[in-house]
Amino acid sequence: MSTVLLQQAANALIDTPVPDLDELVLSRTPLGLRGSRWQTRIATAATERTLERFRRRHQGLWVGGYVTVTTDGVFFSPNDANRRLHPATDRHVPLRDITGVEVRFGVVTKIIDITSVTGAGLIVRCFGAGRVASTIRDAARR
């Protein structure tokens, strides 16, 4: 049985397709507003193009959720809103596979690079990144 050592709100860089915002937004557009569907389609198409450029440039999209460090590994699970937009974005890196934990500069919050022997590492950003990284390092040494 694993013990939770730390849970923190975080964003993870996940290589996930850009969600279909058109369906999501149009399903909530009030009927009876002339031109609203047309304007919404243009706005969502522009947003999707911007997200796709970001995804290609950074090898993924930042997905909001929680990073959890346990005695077994590091887990990322998206929050409810992001789970609907980005299905199958849960990630797990077993502690025994972690080869490095580095903290680097990021705008507003620092970024933690977690590398593993399998190559399936994890990149997260959060407030208190130094504390989170230290907890991961300590847990991986045990």
Side-chain angles (χ1 to χ4, degrees):
M1 174 132 193
S2 68
T3 304
V4 173
L5 304 174
L6 179 139
Q7 185 170 41
Q8 173 79 30
N11 293 316
L13 189 63
I14 306 287
D15 186 17
T16 182
V18 172
D20 183 4
L21 298 176
D22 199 40
E23 288 301 315
L24 179 73
V25 174
L26 286 177
S27 67
R28 292 175 179 24
T29 302
L31 298 176
L33 295 177
R34 188 175 181 176
S36 65
R37 285 187 179 266
W38 177 77
Q39 292 167 343
T40 301
R41 279 198 174 99
I42 290 173
T44 56
T47 301
E48 286 170 352
R49 283 192 306 274
T50 301
L51 286 173
E52 180 57 31
R53 279 193 307 272
F54 184 92
R55 188 190 72 75
R56 280 194 315 265
R57 183 175 183 201
H58 299 283
Q59 289 82 45
L61 295 174
W62 289 109
V63 175
Y66 299 91
V67 65
T68 305
V69 182
T70 71
T71 52
D72 291 334
V74 180
F75 299 84
F76 173 79
S77 356
N79 56 31
D80 288 340
N82 279 297
R83 188 173 300 282
R84 290 187 185 112
L85 288 173
H86 307 282
T89 52
D90 290 288
R91 298 292 187 265
H92 171 242
V93 181
L95 287 179
R96 68 181 176 278
D97 292 348
I98 293 176
T99 57
V101 179
E102 300 298 323
V103 178
R104 62 183 161 101
F105 174 80
V107 178
V108 181
T109 59
K110 291 184 180 177
I111 299 169
I112 305 167
D113 293 311
I114 304 164
T115 53
S116 75
V117 294
T118 62
L122 184 61
I123 300 172
V124 296
R125 65 183 315 143
C126 60
F127 291 105
R131 179 177 48 85
V132 174
S134 291
T135 302
I136 296 168
R137 283 187 203 107
D138 292 344
R141 283 187 205 123
R142 293 180 191 167

